[in-house]
Amino acid sequence: MNSTEKPAVNFIKSIAVFCGSSDSNDEFIYSQAYELGRSLANKNIDLVYGGSKLGLMGQVAKGALENDGLAFGVIPEFLKTKEIVHRELTELITTQDMHERKLKMHEMSDGFIMLPGGFGTFEEFFEILTWAQLGLHQKPIGVLNTEGYYNDLLMMFNNMVTKGLLKKENLDLVLVSDSVEILLDKMHAYESKVETKWLTNKEQT
């Protein structure tokens, strides 16, 4: 590469955020959700998320909208009667079920970030991560490890590699930082090294 050339970066116009719809009892986790939304808006990156105005979900959307960003909510029909949906979004998209919701968020996004959350957050993150492992997409996947929230999970990932149950190159799919700005920089610089073909022709027969 010529010394005057800049390294290639991903063109990221939109990011899907997976996070809890509950209020964290940790004020810094709560504030970091807002900070992510603010940072996305300031970088002209659209927010795609679960559509609720509650908990960390609501804070991410608030951070984007209060800083002139765009926020797109995606929510399944059956949850609209159980969650308090955000009525001030750029657009609220309704899907038939949870799987269609994740598929729609994937289609609308150039990357993904997991914030602190519970079972639902894990489920969304692991499905999109598995899709990447299978070569179904090559979009960057980030974990905002606020105050070490995911330290134990990251230790488990490394244990999976040590025990031979996860390839190191698949672990490298997960980009991690406790800083919003550093995480976004990593996502812009990300280059997937996962083969787009999971099985060889011989293995398929």
Side-chain angles (χ1 to χ4, degrees), residues 121-140:
T121 300
F122 275 50
E123 190 269 339
E124 291 171 324
F125 169 77
F126 278 112
E127 181 154 2
I128 211 69
L129 180 58
T130 302
W131 290 358
Q133 177 179 294
L134 294 173
L136 299 178
H137 73 83
Q138 295 184 324
K139 301 175 183 181

Side-chain angles (χ1 to χ4, degrees), residues 62-130:
K62 184 177 180 180
L65 294 169
E66 287 188 349
N67 290 278
D68 300 319
L70 301 182
F72 297 86
V74 184
I75 192 168
E77 180 65 41
F78 79 93
L79 279 180
K80 289 180 70 175
T81 60
K82 297 179 181 179
E83 292 184 350
I84 301 178
V85 297
H86 203 305
R87 298 298 180 184
E88 299 176 3
L89 299 175
T90 306
E91 185 179 358
L92 181 65
I93 299 163
T94 302
T95 62
Q96 293 184 350
D97 52 38
M98 295 291 284
H99 180 72
E100 186 182 342
R101 177 199 221 179
K102 283 177 294 210
L103 184 59
K104 186 65 176 178
M105 292 175 75
H106 168 264
E107 292 172 349
M108 294 177 65
S109 306
D110 300 315
F112 310 90
I113 291 178
M114 178 171 69
L115 299 186
F119 290 157
T121 300
F122 275 50
E123 190 269 339
E124 291 171 324
F125 169 77
F126 278 112
E127 181 154 2
I128 211 69
L129 180 58
T130 302

Side-chain angles (χ1 to χ4, degrees), residues 23-24 36 54 58-59 63 67 93 103 117 131 145 159-160 193:
D23 291 329
S24 171
L36 175 59
L54 301 176
Q59 286 301 299
N67 290 278
I93 299 163
L103 184 59
W131 290 358
N145 190 29
N159 189 46
M160 292 160 70
K193 295 181 174 59

